[in-house]
Structures are given as C-alpha cells and as structure tokens.
Amino acid sequence: MTIGVLALQGDVREHMAALADLGEVGRLVSGPADLVALAGIILPGGESTTLSMLLESSGLLDPLAAALTDGLPVFGTCAGMILLAETVLDGRPDQRRFGVIDITLRRNGYGRQVASFECDLNVAGIEGPPVHAVFIRAPVVEAVSPDIEVLATLPDHADTGGDVRNVGGGRPVVCKQGPVLVTAFHPELTEDRRVHQLFVGMTKGER
Amino acid sequence: MGDSPIESRSATGNRPTGTFTVKRGLADMLRGGVVMDVVDAEQAKLAEDSGAVAVMALERVPADIRRDGGVARMSDPAMIEGIKAAVTVPVMAKARIGHFAEAQVLAALGVDYVDESEVLTPADEAHHIDKWSYDVPFVCGATNLGEALRRISEGAALIRSKGEAGTGNIVEAVRHLRAILGDIRRITQADSAELYGWAKQLAAPIGLVQEIAGSGRLPVPLFCAGGIATPADASLVMQLGAEAVFVGSGIFKSSDPERRARAIVEATAHYADAHLVAKVSTGLGDAMAGQEIDTLDVRLAARGW
C-alpha cells in the first residue's frame, strides 16, 4: 500500500516524513506515471496558484481529477484544501481545482502573514490531548454543504477582543466528505501524527 | 528542538501570532518555487500568472541599481500597496541592512516577508536588524555558513545564498551555496568537541552548530538568489541543494519575460528532469546580457557580515 504526496511545490518533505513515521510507504508524485496503484494521495501546503499551474503543465490535472472522482482517498492541507474545494472566493478566476469536497473557502481569509497563528484544537475522532494547529495564510471555510462532516472548528478566542486574531472563531477547520479529508492548517509542520493517522485509516477503509 | 536558540521566543496566549513556527512555516510553503522581483503591479500580475510563489516588490531591479548607482532605499509604500492589491501570492519587500525603521514601515504596510537586503545600500556597518522583535518574518542573504547562522540567531526565518545580484552570472551563487552546504556536510562528520571549534571558526552560536550536526540542514529553509537567468541555472542550484530560487533581473531584463518566468518555474519544480528542462529552455529568446564578476564596480555580496 503506497500513499502518494503531490511533489510539484510546497512542504512535500514533511508529509513524506509523517508517512514514514507511521510506517507507510510514501511516493513523490510529479507526473501521471506516479499515480499508478496508489492507496491515497496527499496534496501538501504550498501556493495554490503555483500548484494549479504546475498540475496543468505536468499533465497531472486530468488523470488526478479522474482518480479523485473514482474515489481515491485524498488529504489536502491548506493549499491542498483549496485545490480540493468546490468553491473558492478571492482566488484567481483561472485557477484550476478538483472540486471534490462541497465547501466554500475564502483564500487568505484570516489575513496576511502577520495574522498567521497557532492554536489548540479538539478534533472529532482523535483521542488524547488537543491537536496543536499551525495556520499560515490559511483559507477560511465560509460554508459547508449538509454532506460534510465537520471534525473540528476554530475555538472562539473571545479574550483576544476585537483583535484581528479573533477572525474565524467557530469556523470549520477540519472537514471530511467520503474519501476526502481537508485541514485549513498544517499538521505536517508538527511532530503529532494523529491527523495523518486519521487519513491513513481512510486509505485502509476505516470510517 | 529543545534548547535551540531559535525556539527561545516562546508562544504565549491561546492564539499566538508572529511565532517562529509561523514565520519559518511560510518559507516552507514557498519551497520548490520561484520568488520574482517586480517593480510595479503589472509585472506582479505577470509573475503570478507565470506561477511565482511570491513576489519581491522593489523600485529598481538589481541590474538597474548597478547601472544607475546612487543610494538604493526601501520602495515607496504606494508602490508596495499597489502590488499587494494586484496579486494573491505573498508579497515581500526589501529594507536596508540595519535599517530597522524601514523594516517597521514594511511591517506596518503588512508585507508578508521583509528582505534585509545587501542589494540596497546598507544603513548600519556593524549591526543587522534584531529580527526577533517583529511579527513579520525576515529573509537575509548569506555567503557562507557563519553568516547564515548569525542571521538566524538574529531571528531570520529564511536564508538565501546571496550570489551577485543584477549580474545574470550564476558563479557567485554556486560559490555561496557550496560554501554553506559543504560546511554543513563537514559539520555532520565532526565529533562533539570539534563542534566548539566550528562555532569559533564560523563566529556562530554553538547551539545552532550542534543542531546542524544532528539534522544535516539549516534550521530554516535555504533558497538561492543572485544571478539566476535561465531554467538550467535554476536546475543547477536546486540540484546543489537550494530549496527554492529568487529571480531578480533575470526575468524582466530578458526578451520574453512571460515565457522565461514560466520556464524557470517549471524547471525549478522539475529540476532533476533534464528532458523537461531542455523542453522549457527551447526558443526562450535572449537572456539578460549579464556581466563578468571581475568587471563589477560594486560587489553587493560583500555587504553584511
């Protein structure tokens, strides 16, 4: 069982390390031939406009879209989440996406880099202490369809007052729809492997 | 990373911003990409259309700074605001070395990264900016490992090898990358006592030297700048170990900036695929003319310490 990591741009190495820590075999995916016989694929953090262009130029866009439509399990973090979303606000009109999870996002919805933040989250289905989440120029989930399982929402940090840091309190930050898992933050940037474990379980038919 | 000096700025509050993790994290998201110098909103849009992961807003590209001479300073805020409004990718901007007031202005403008850059005329001949006191992340140039570690100890969350900006000549970038990465490789072979000798020789904090000995890499991403003019240049520095590239004059001083920008983006992403680099290099038109290093009046890489 091999899990792919889209390797066109972004924090590919950290996702490969997470898979290795979990005893899974990872494969760098940079062309259509790399899609053969995957149990699942991870779309990493990066710049979604760049990834969109490179998906097209590498010839991966159409075969990957077909594989996702056929139900290949997929996990997208931040930019990966944007590539998987049905609707994206404040993006570029020509940005290509897969549209396999019925959510509406606003790119960089928490603000520019100075508003990037860390916080602790309770994630449904993950036991133990909260997950420490790193949000970097993250997309805000503006709407989800009734078919979406919202596994975590951003705590409402009321004590930050009217500060920019309170933007997005209560917004969904981990969503799942069938074989599609997305996070607005970067679980690959911490040593906690429980979110990746959740996805590995999905590739093995759990949940 | 335990006692590493770079982790010493601890996160406080329940939703902290400006932590080292989020500063370094943005640099991590740019890996495998191309950051392009732009001087106006139109160039910024072209850069984004061509797949740039970020743009560097500056008034004159380094080749023009060389040609025109004079004191090179931070850009007009109106120009930076115009570029911020034009693109969705991160926007970086340059402050002079040691000019913490320019850095404060750039932070107030909400740029995503500040480049404390030798391409501008230095403002302080002894001190770089204390970068820990900002929420905005900083990138700094380095010609060798000691310089890189001193910048990291001051709070830089991203290092770029300096090369020689505005020349279109890759030789200095190669020299600096090999100096940084070669010393890292040697340090991984050193025993624990020898690491103190390395710290002394590099004039760098022992904690960072020990961290490198264990990890085999800088504690922040290492990008390459200064002299990249062709897709093959990008492939070369990526194969040498750079994690992304900055292209300054190389794009907008060429005969077909849009095609060249896109070709460099593709060559950076697929740097190990010589067939692809050959394909995107074909029929690109003229690269920027470029200069021999020995003929230069000013060596920008010598600025900073």
Side-chain angles (χ1 to χ4, degrees), chain A residues 72-144:
Chain A
L72 178 69
V74 60
F75 174 26
T77 63
C78 195
M81 180 193 211
I82 293 170
L83 293 173
L84 293 169
E86 181 70 32
T87 308
V88 175
L89 309 173
D90 291 351
R92 289 169 52 92
D94 59 342
Q95 193 171 330
R96 304 294 301 266
R97 284 192 311 280
F98 298 111
V100 290
I101 184 163
D102 198 358
I103 57 178
T104 299
L105 301 181
R106 186 173 297 281
R107 275 192 71 195
N108 306 330
Y110 294 95
R112 302 191 72 90
Q113 168 63 13
V114 287
S116 292
F117 63 95
E118 303 179 48
C119 74
D120 288 338
L121 294 174
N122 292 310
V123 181
I126 291 183
E127 306 289 325
V131 170
H132 187 70
V134 181
F135 290 80
I136 296 171
R137 286 171 45 94
V140 167
V141 177
E142 298 262 343
V144 299

Side-chain angles (χ1 to χ4, degrees), chain B residues 1 8 14 23 25 55 65 75 79 93 118 171 223 226 251 256 266 283 285 290:
Chain B
M1 296 194 201
S8 62
N14 57 6
K23 291 176 174 178
V55 295
I65 292 174
S75 298
M79 174 273 218
E118 71 282 0
V171 67
F223 293 4
I251 289 172
D256 188 347
E266 286 193 58

Side-chain angles (χ1 to χ4, degrees), chain B residues 37-275:
Chain B
D37 278 1
V38 298
V39 301
D40 56 32
E42 192 183 335
Q43 287 189 355
K45 287 194 85 66
L46 186 147
E48 187 180 69
D49 288 346
S50 310
V53 286
V55 295
M56 175 74 72
L58 74 177
E59 227 145 43
R60 293 177 287 168
V61 294
D64 290 337
I65 292 174
R66 279 189 186 286
R67 190 196 60 205
D68 300 344
V71 174
R73 309 180 178 90
M74 177 187 78
S75 298
D76 183 340
M79 174 273 218
I80 294 169
E81 292 287 5
I83 288 171
K84 276 172 56 195
V87 294
T88 65
V89 295
V91 175
M92 304 184 177
K94 290 183 192 290
R96 283 178 265 178
I97 289 174
H99 204 315
F100 53 85
E102 282 189 350
Q104 289 162 357
V105 169
L106 295 175
L109 291 172
V111 303
D112 297 296
Y113 244 94
V114 174
D115 184 1
E116 186 184 15
S117 178
E118 71 282 0
V119 169
L120 305 185
T121 309
D124 189 322
E125 293 186 329
H127 308 93
H128 283 253
I129 297 168
D130 171 9
K131 294 164 274 285
W132 292 113
S133 58
Y134 295 76
D135 277 354
V136 66
F138 281 74
V139 51
C140 289
T143 59
N144 58 51
L145 183 58
E147 202 177 355
L149 295 182
R150 288 192 293 279
R151 297 295 85 77
I152 294 166
S153 73
E154 295 158 0
L158 170 61
I159 295 294
R160 53 176 174 74
S161 55
K162 283 180 180 173
E164 193 56 39
T167 62
N169 189 335
I170 200 68
V171 67
E172 294 299 303
V174 170
R175 187 196 319 281
H176 300 156
L177 270 181
R178 283 200 180 276
I180 293 167
L181 294 165
D183 273 354
I184 291 175
R185 281 188 285 270
R186 285 183 276 277
I187 283 173
T188 62
Q189 302 299 312
D191 73 18
S192 59
E194 289 167 340
L195 295 180
Y196 293 92
W198 272 103
K200 181 181 171 193
Q201 180 193 326
L202 295 173
I206 181 65
L208 291 177
V209 174
Q210 289 166 330
E211 187 176 334
I212 285 172
S215 68
R217 64 175 78 233
L218 285 182
V220 304
L222 173 63
F223 293 4
C224 178
I228 294 162
T230 69
D233 287 345
S235 170
L236 172 70
V237 299
M238 293 294 285
Q239 291 189 62
L240 284 172
E243 297 182 283
V245 300
F246 286 84
V247 184
S249 320
I251 289 172
F252 289 101
K253 290 291 170 190
S254 73
S255 64
D256 188 347
E258 189 156 10
R259 278 196 64 197
R260 183 164 298 266
R262 204 183 156 94
I264 293 175
V265 168
E266 286 193 58
T268 303
H270 301 279
Y271 64 86
D273 181 346
H275 292 286

